[in-house]
Amino acid sequence: MLEQMGAAAKAASYKLALLSSREKNRVLEKIADYLESQSAEILLANEQDLLEARRNGLSEAMLDRLALTPARLKGIADDVRQVCSLADPVGQVIDGGLLDSGLRLERRRVPLGVIGVIYEARPNVTVDVASLCLKTGNAAILRGGKETWRTNAATVKVIQQALEECGLPAGAVQAIESPDRALVNELLRMDKYIDMLIPRGGAGLHKLCREQSTIPVITGGIGVCHIVVDDSAEIEPALKIIVNAKTQRPSTCNTVETLLVHAGIANTFLPALSKQMAQSKVTLHADANAMALLQEGPAKVVPVNAEQYDDEFLSLDLNVKVVADLDDAIAHIREHGTQHSDAILTRTLSNAARFVNEVDSSAVYVNASTRFTDGGQFGLGAEVAVSTQKLHARGPMGLEALTTYKWIGIGDDTIRA
């Protein structure tokens, strides 16, 4: 089955690479229209997925990720229309010039070819990835979580209908519907057809892909994000940022998971933090030094487990640790961070500069929430993933990250001397 899907995707990618921006936008507009006009089928499939997920005991956070509503589906359709308005990077000349040999050389953006994406219980990812791939002339093979297979199948059926009505092969966007995990292992070795693989899931999935894939893998999406509160931070603005970073949408990968508070401000800051976190219904997981200053406050506080420094809560839970100084904070981030998003709250320019230069994450912030690590917020329009590695892309991956380039040399019967 996967061999046939791979061959169909590769064949489709050759046709997609030749499309003009107008032709690609026409397909995207039709997909957006069909997502709305055929929403009943998609929502019914989603209800069935939700029923099974509840029977299987999925958490409320996971159910929220899985659930579609008419409003959410309309938002997804509007996101596709937004992709239409984005500049098409394909065909863009990056640089070039006339060489001494007389050869005119340029570097031009081209599609990657076929992109494979493995993801979990987020049905919006199906449409996000499909639309971004189509905009950049790439074919896509999607493998969503078993919790969403009905939703994904119904959504891809709509996308394929739009493709065929625009004269394009349905193989341009395909979904693996079977929940058989053996198919994932088979997918990881389809380097004959797939040019880049993007896993969007937990640490186990990323480890599997790094170790087993024969395809170049973009890893990311795991966010053990930190906020450092140094001894010059102002309490009220700092609390406002922390509340946003923790509570605006706790189930996302750019949510703060660990707060590192300078010992010099801890006596005044932590009691104020307790009051604010009690209002926000956040449970604090404190180290011994923080516990001593938090246990009299109104917020629920429990001792932190060492392994919690390395895990995502994705819920209204927050680690709190008192650090001796900025060196201590940076050392903690280096040991426990995932190179996703980390921030410092400070009024000291030298500390801000040190943090920016010494914290090796894909996004670092000064006096701002980690929740900004997002393709839309960064002005990229959309994203296919957040990469925490350094090749071939880093941070939110927009349209340019779904392209590569080729060198084009134009001569006048030019030969090498």
Side-chain angles (χ1 to χ4, degrees):
M1 178 185 76
L2 290 191
E3 185 82 11
Q4 293 174 336
M5 292 179 71
K10 181 61 76 174
S13 72
Y14 298 137
K15 294 188 176 182
L16 294 175
L18 301 177
L19 296 179
S20 67
S21 295
R22 178 178 295 180
E23 289 170 315
K24 288 184 280 191
N25 287 340
R26 178 170 170 257
V27 177
L28 293 173
E29 287 164 1
K30 192 172 286 290
I31 289 172
D33 291 343
Y34 282 4
L35 286 172
E36 291 181 339
S37 65
Q38 300 185 33
S39 61
E41 292 88 341
I42 297 172
L43 292 172
L44 177 60
N46 187 249
E47 285 178 14
Q48 294 171 336
D49 282 336
L50 282 170
L51 282 172
E52 184 171 335
R54 288 193 179 93
R55 285 197 299 267
N56 293 334
L58 256 68
S59 67
E60 287 301 317
M62 289 295 288
L63 288 171
D64 180 62
R65 283 184 171 193
L66 171 58
L68 282 179
T69 63
R72 284 186 177 185
L73 194 53
K74 184 184 186 306
I76 291 170
D78 288 341
D79 288 342
V80 177
R81 296 186 179 101
Q82 173 65 23
V83 173
C84 292
S85 68
L86 300 177
D88 184 353
V90 175
Q92 180 186 92
V93 176
I94 301 170
D95 51 34
L98 185 65
L99 304 182
D100 292 341
S101 64
L103 186 69
R104 184 170 297 280
L105 194 65
E106 67 180 35
R107 252 185 336 142
R108 186 183 300 172
R109 290 198 184 279
V110 296
L112 283 163
V114 179
I115 297 173
V117 184
I118 306 172
Y119 54 102
E120 294 180 346
R122 284 188 181 275
N124 63 294
V125 174
T126 303
V127 181
D128 291 346
V129 171
S131 60
L132 292 171
C133 286
L134 291 172
K135 180 74 176 190
T136 48
N138 294 294
I141 296 178
L142 311 174
R143 202 282 187 178
K146 64 181 183 297
E147 302 87 358
T148 57
W149 74 268
R150 297 178 185 86
T151 308
N152 294 338
T155 304
V156 169
K157 182 179 178 182
V158 169
I159 293 171
Q160 291 180 336
Q161 182 182 343
L163 284 164
E164 290 179 326
E165 291 196 10
C166 291
L168 296 172
V173 178
Q174 300 174 82
I176 300 171
E177 296 177 15
S178 171
D180 186 354
R181 293 182 67 87
L183 292 176
V184 173
N185 291 322
E186 187 178 342
L187 182 69
L188 298 182
R189 290 171 171 77
M190 290 179 60
D191 53 281
K192 180 179 178 181
Y193 303 112
I194 299 176
D195 297 283
M196 186 170 76
L197 186 70
I198 304 173
R200 293 183 53 159
L205 173 62
H206 285 250
K207 184 173 185 290
L208 175 70
C209 292
R210 285 195 302 268
E211 293 178 353
Q212 302 296 324
S213 178
T214 59
I215 306 164
V217 176
I218 297 286
T219 56
I222 300 173
V224 180
C225 303
H226 301 78
I227 291 181
V228 176
V229 183
D230 87 352
D231 57 349
S232 68
E234 296 178 22
I235 291 178
E236 290 305 316
L239 291 175
K240 182 178 179 181
I241 290 170
I242 293 163
V243 168
N244 178 263
K246 181 72 259 183
T247 70
Q248 198 225 13
R249 195 172 177 191
S251 63
T252 58
C253 60
N254 54 21
T255 294
V256 65
E257 303 291 14
T258 296
L259 192 64
L260 302 172
V261 180
H262 192 290
I265 198 176
N267 285 337
T268 53
F269 183 80
L270 291 182
L273 175 74
S274 180
K275 292 178 183 177
Q276 184 61 67
M277 293 298 100
Q279 293 177 21
S280 301
K281 297 180 172 57
V282 174
T283 297
L284 302 176
H285 299 251
D287 77 337
N289 292 329
M291 178 69 77
L293 297 169
L294 289 168
Q295 57 190 1
E296 299 302 324
K300 180 180 179 181
V301 57
V302 297
V304 67
N305 297 321
E307 61 269 17
Q308 289 174 329
Y309 288 132
D310 298 308
D311 293 333
E312 292 178 298
F313 282 117
L314 303 178
S315 59
L316 291 175
D317 293 86
L318 178 67
N319 296 323
V320 183
K321 180 181 179 182
V322 175
V323 292
D325 50 28
L326 187 55
D327 287 329
D328 193 12
I330 292 173
H332 180 97
I333 293 171
R334 287 175 177 173
E335 181 176 357
H336 300 285
T338 54
Q339 296 186 306
H340 193 294
S341 303
D342 298 292
I344 186 171
L345 311 183
T346 183
R347 291 295 185 259
T348 305
L349 287 175
S350 58
N351 283 352
R354 277 198 60 201
F355 188 85
V356 167
N357 292 329
E358 296 181 33
V359 173
D360 187 21
S361 296
S362 61
V364 291
Y365 297 94
V366 177
N367 298 326
S369 170
T370 57
R371 285 284 290 125
F372 282 103
T373 308
D374 172 86
Q377 293 293 316
F378 276 22
L380 303 178
E383 71 180 41
V384 68
V386 176
S387 169
T388 54
Q389 63 185 45
K390 299 180 181 180
L391 299 174
H392 112 110
R394 199 170 198 210
M397 294 175 58
L399 293 175
E400 283 190 5
L402 297 181
T403 66
T404 182
Y405 58 81
K406 64 170 64 172
W407 292 98
I408 299 171
I410 301 172
D412 183 15
D413 302 325
T414 306
I415 62 173
R416 178 172 173 173

